[in-house]
Amino acid sequence: MPRPTLHHPVKASRTTLTAVCAAVLLVGGSSSVAYAATSLSPETAVTAASTTTAAKTTAVKTTAAKNSTATTAKTASTKTYSNDLNGWINESLDIMKANGIPGTYDGIYKNVMRESSGNPNAINDWDINAQNGVPSKGLLQVIQPTFDTYHVAGTSNDLYDPVANITAASNYAYHVYGSIDNVNSAY
């Protein structure tokens, strides 16, 4: 009785296996994977090569992302800002840029001057918000619920903090008006 023929999706041949091993070496340079692949069936070797390629691609992407984050953090932490309106606006603009929040120096400045005259401790104790128990505060006269909703991670949780106040208000203006630059009156 003749022996039945087994049908493999990949024909087992020394040439195919050698090509798979060469591919593994070219992609990853891992001699242990190449050595292991020579003792496996061709389809297992292909799977090993694919897995090695995917793992190395993921490792490269992860390393690149970590390096990018580290570079961004390093750049941000080494930059210094003056402790005045100019410095607060510039620091906010850098944070906004990193978070995809549009706005310009002039747009922020004109709104700050209209809302608080540049006083980071300004508080409005007479308008409807104040009458409802949530007065507008800080450089851009933000109420606490709005600040909490539009707070940008990495800034202070203190509504009176100038950078946190500007950044949260600009984030709010972005979501409601498209940009702080589009705000020309109380908001």
Side-chain angles (χ1 to χ4, degrees):
M1 177 172 209
R3 190 171 174 176
T5 305
L6 297 175
H7 296 284
H8 253 289
V10 178
K11 295 278 185 191
S13 74
R14 190 133 180 89
T15 304
T16 303
L17 196 50
T18 303
V20 169
C21 292
V24 170
L25 285 171
L26 285 173
V27 171
S30 174
S31 59
S32 60
V33 173
Y35 176 78
T38 61
S39 63
L40 302 173
S41 67
E43 62 274 2
T44 305
V46 169
T47 302
S50 297
T51 302
T52 301
T53 302
K56 290 201 180 272
T57 301
T58 300
V60 168
K61 286 180 182 176
T62 301
T63 301
K66 285 181 181 175
N67 288 343
S68 174
T69 302
T71 300
T72 302
K74 184 177 180 182
T75 301
S77 68
T78 59
K79 192 168 185 178
T80 57
Y81 303 91
S82 56
N83 190 23
D84 58 13
L85 184 57
N86 182 56
W88 302 328
I89 292 173
N90 283 317
E91 185 173 356
S92 292
L93 285 168
D94 285 344
I95 294 166
M96 290 163 55
K97 182 178 179 181
N99 287 281
I101 302 167
T104 64
Y105 186 98
D106 290 338
I108 294 170
Y109 183 82
K110 75 174 182 171
N111 281 284
V112 164
M113 296 315 289
R114 183 186 62 251
E115 294 292 333
S116 69
S117 300
N119 177 2
N121 297 312
I123 185 167
N124 181 329
D125 58 4
W126 59 266
D127 73 359
I128 190 67
N129 291 320
Q131 291 171 19
N132 291 329
V134 285
S136 305
K137 301 174 183 178
L139 288 172
L140 285 168
Q141 294 296 282
V142 180
I143 61 173
Q144 191 68 52
T146 301
F147 179 83
D148 293 342
T149 301
Y150 293 96
H151 176 259
V152 176
T155 63
S156 171
N157 289 316
D158 179 6
L159 182 127
Y160 284 107
D161 178 86
V163 174
N165 189 283
I166 292 170
T167 310
S170 296
N171 192 26
Y172 166 77
Y174 163 53
H175 284 89
V176 175
Y177 302 98
S179 171
I180 189 77
D181 297 337
N182 298 332
V183 178
N184 295 313
S185 64
Y187 52 105

